Amino acid sequence: QVQLVESGGGLVQAGGSLRLSCATSGRTFSYYAMGWFRQAPGKEREFVATISRSGGSTFYADSVKDRFTISRDNAKSMVYLQMNSLKPEDTAVYYCAASTGISPVITRRNYNYWGQGAQVTVSS
């Protein structure tokens, strides 16, 4: 199994940037595909981005494509989400997750482990 801890959330103005980090521990990090999900108040948790075990392939939700970038550093057991051109509708709790599935993994039920979440608030 693997433990996940998100960091880097906070308050930012519309049009600004923020980078989320996810530190992992436990089973060998490179064994897992990684993903980011988010959940706004009163809404379902939705897929944001995923990255393959090697980091060679990525896939994004249409709502964040060309604005967000997912990356990973297997030597440091870290995964990141760089968020640019932020909009108020990006406001949500963001979750890091790990999956043993075959990329792209975009379904919540296919993720085995989850972090506690990090709040991102974008003001207008």
Side-chain angles (χ1 to χ4, degrees), residues 6-21:
E6 301 97 334
S7 62
L11 175 65
V12 64
Q13 293 184 350
S17 298
L18 203 62
R19 189 175 82 155
L20 299 180
S21 298

Side-chain angles (χ1 to χ4, degrees), residues 9-92:
L11 175 65
V12 64
Q13 293 184 350
S17 298
L18 203 62
R19 189 175 82 155
L20 299 180
S21 298
C22 177
T24 72
S25 62
R27 194 168 184 176
T28 303
F29 178 62
S30 61
Y31 181 78
Y32 300 94
M34 300 296 297
W36 288 95
F37 288 73
R38 67 186 182 185
Q39 187 167 22
K43 296 184 178 180
E44 298 288 328
R45 189 172 299 186
E46 64 177 355
F47 168 77
V48 174
T50 187
I51 188 166
S52 62
R53 293 172 176 82
S54 67
S57 299
T58 59
F59 188 80
Y60 300 89
D62 287 343
S63 59
V64 305
K65 189 174 179 62
D66 299 325
R67 298 190 298 120
F68 291 10
T69 302
I70 187 171
S71 62
R72 68 190 296 162
D73 186 338
N74 286 354
K76 297 180 179 179
S77 299
M78 297 284 291
V79 62
Y80 308 96
L81 185 68
Q82 178 66 46
M83 303 181 290
N84 298 327
S85 301
L86 283 162
K87 306 174 181 179
E89 51 262 45
D90 294 319
T91 295

